[in-house]
Amino acid sequence: MQQTRQPKLMPVILAIAVLMTLEGQRAMATTVVVGTCKTGVVQYSSIQTAVNGVPPGGTVQVCPGTYYEQVLITQSLTLIGVQAGTAKAAIVMPPSNGLVNNLTAANGVPFVAQIGVNGVTGVNISDLTVDGTNNQLPDCSAIYGGIVYRNATGTVNQVVTKNQFEPSNSTCFNGHGIWVENDPGVATSNVTIENSSVHDFQGTGIIAHNPGTTVTVNGNAVANTGVTAGFVQNGIEIGNDATGTASGNSISDLLLTNGIYTSTGMIVGSPNHGPSNITATKNSFNDITGAIYAGADGNIITSNKIYSSLTGVGVAGIYICSNNNTVKTNLLSFSNPAGVVLDNSCGSAATGNVVTGNTINEGCAGILVTPGVSGNTVSPNTFFNVSYTQLSGTTCSPTLTPTRSNAQRTHPLPTPEHP
């Protein structure tokens, strides 16, 4: 009896068919998972391969665990950590060979982003920890950020960024938690940053720069509790003609000083730039060298709570060095040398400001107005336990005793701006 032989080509054809089916499933999958914590979905072994493999608008779920990689996102998607049993933390750390330059800043300076979002709309990142430990950056030549949006839009929610330092030089003003910027005149960036924990950084916790960049910064905790050496740090900075709102944030433990420079809790606007029109409201500040610095015009600073803003002389709870700002219904306690300072040393006349309805408790001066400054409304306000409710001068004596020992200065400046 004659037997029928199977063609030798048949297994190869079947293998190709299976492969094509799997690849088709990958191409069609709108939700994929990194790791093996979920079944019935397409799985990837790394975040970057999942980001590359999911279609635009898809979702990349990241299983609990530690992922040693650097991620660049160039299409719309959602990147989210997920729970597996009782495990929840999805942690992104530098690869074994360290971080490398993977973006370029608006002025051509190299940029290192642990998670970078570049030239795309609708990228949402949530429930991830971005840890910069062992980044191996060799020097201070590149800007370094934990999460970076360039010419991009999206939301950052419930993330942690930490340990963004330049290990080669503790005095670099590099190493930022979350950075948002755009190329002026070319693209825009609009990012919401909320409900996140940003700590242990070398430069600024949350920073937004350049005209065309708009940020909404709500409900975040920004601190440098364990940082005792370095240059200086800022908590939240919206500058270089960027605009936006900052509300309900908690900022604490920014106490480093360096020469004429001081750490600053929040910077709203940059000197020698156009009006910033930033709203800072219902934020809380605790143990800050200087709590709020307004360097450009047109900001609204209301209903903030500031406690212990007194390390150094001439720092103040709210430092106004620009025009046409509204400073109302803030509660300031224990500020040095004054709750509010109006100063014209930043290149503007410091006029047209409205400082009313504030409650200022404990300080040398409630409101300190430097010589030559005029045209502002500075009453009514409520004062308790101050030597002078209002004083003309550049400082006030006697100043309060700082709670920590740091270098003192008479004319504070925020940290130098990045490009």
Side-chain angles (χ1 to χ4, degrees):
M1 182 175 180
Q2 188 175 7
Q3 294 182 343
T4 302
R5 293 184 179 181
Q6 294 289 338
K8 293 183 179 180
L9 193 58
M10 185 63 68
V12 177
I13 294 173
L14 290 174
I16 293 174
V18 170
L19 181 61
M20 290 177 65
T21 300
L22 291 174
E23 290 303 315
Q25 289 175 346
R26 287 182 181 271
M28 292 184 293
T30 58
T31 297
V32 301
V33 65
V34 183
T36 59
C37 66
K38 290 194 171 187
T39 59
V41 293
V42 175
Q43 298 175 344
Y44 290 89
S45 60
S46 74
I47 298 173
Q48 187 65 67
T49 56
V51 164
N52 294 344
V54 73
T59 298
V60 176
Q61 299 180 339
V62 184
C63 293
T66 301
Y67 300 85
Y68 296 92
E69 56 181 305
Q70 191 172 359
V71 180
L72 185 61
I73 301 170
T74 56
Q75 66 172 359
S76 301
L77 57 81
T78 294
L79 178 63
I80 183 171
V82 295
Q83 185 169 343
T86 59
K88 192 66 168 69
I91 304 168
V92 181
M93 296 190 70
S96 59
N97 59 345
L99 299 175
V100 297
N101 300 342
N102 58 350
L103 291 172
T104 303
N107 74 335
V109 174
F111 218 129
V112 176
Q114 283 187 258
I115 297 181
V117 181
N118 189 40
V120 62
T121 61
V123 174
N124 304 312
I125 301 173
S126 63
D127 209 351
L128 294 175
T129 294
V130 182
D131 187 338
T133 301
N134 196 34
N135 59 61
Q136 300 179 52
L137 293 175
D139 52 43
C140 303
S141 61
I143 303 171
Y144 166 39
I147 298 175
V148 176
Y149 278 71
R150 288 207 71 251
N151 303 323
T153 69
T155 299
V156 178
N157 183 33
Q158 297 288 9
V159 305
V160 174
T161 65
K162 62 181 181 178
N163 300 320
Q164 276 73 42
F165 295 101
E166 297 272 11
S168 62
N169 190 334
S170 65
T171 61
C172 287
F173 185 62
N174 273 350
H176 311 276
I178 301 171
W179 181 295
V180 181
E181 71 159 35
N182 69 296
D183 293 319
V186 177
T188 60
S189 290
N190 191 327
V191 179
T192 296
I193 303 161
E194 56 190 0
N195 308 317
S196 295
S197 174
V198 178
H199 62 92
D200 297 307
F201 46 85
Q202 195 168 352
T204 298
I206 299 172
I207 184 168
H209 268 183
N210 298 339
T213 289
T214 303
V215 290
T216 302
V217 185
N218 294 335
N220 303 284
V222 182
N224 257 0
T225 307
V227 179
T228 59
F231 185 55
V232 296
Q233 294 97 28
N234 299 325
I236 297 172
E237 177 183 341
I238 306 174
N240 260 13
D241 294 309
T243 190
T245 63
S247 64
N249 301 285
S250 173
I251 304 171
S252 63
D253 296 290
L254 300 172
L255 292 165
L256 295 182
T257 60
N258 192 302
I260 63 173
Y261 300 110
T262 62
S263 297
T264 305
M266 184 178 293
I267 294 177
V268 289
S270 307
N272 304 314
H273 287 260
S276 51
N277 302 316
I278 297 162
T279 296
T281 184
K282 298 182 180 179
N283 303 286
S284 64
F285 300 83
N286 186 45
D287 281 345
I288 305 290
T289 312
I292 301 176
Y293 174 91
D297 301 345
N299 303 293
I300 298 173
I301 302 170
T302 61
S303 302
N304 299 284
K305 294 182 178 180
I306 298 169
Y307 177 77
S308 188
S309 176
L310 53 74
T311 303
V313 176
V315 176
I318 300 175
Y319 202 97
I320 305 298
C321 209
S322 52
N323 308 306
N324 304 318
N325 298 283
T326 299
V327 181
K328 289 185 175 182
T329 61
N330 298 284
L331 177 61
L332 303 100
S333 300
F334 206 32
S335 298
N336 203 21
V340 179
V341 170
L342 295 166
D343 183 20
N344 60 0
S345 67
C346 303
S348 69
T351 190
N353 298 291
V354 177
V355 183
T356 59
N358 302 285
T359 300
I360 301 172
N361 183 17
E362 191 177 9
C364 184
I367 299 175
L368 181 66
V369 181
T370 62
V373 171
S374 62
N376 300 289
T377 301
V378 293
S379 66
N381 293 284
T382 303
F383 304 95
F384 300 95
N385 305 299
V386 296
S387 298
Y388 307 91
T389 57
Q390 184 175 329
L391 182 68
S392 177
T394 57
T395 190
C396 181
S397 181
T399 55
L400 302 177
T401 303
T403 55
R404 290 172 172 81
S405 177
N406 287 74
Q408 297 183 344
R409 75 240 36 290
T410 56
H411 296 291
L413 289 175
T415 310
E417 299 253 340
H418 277 296

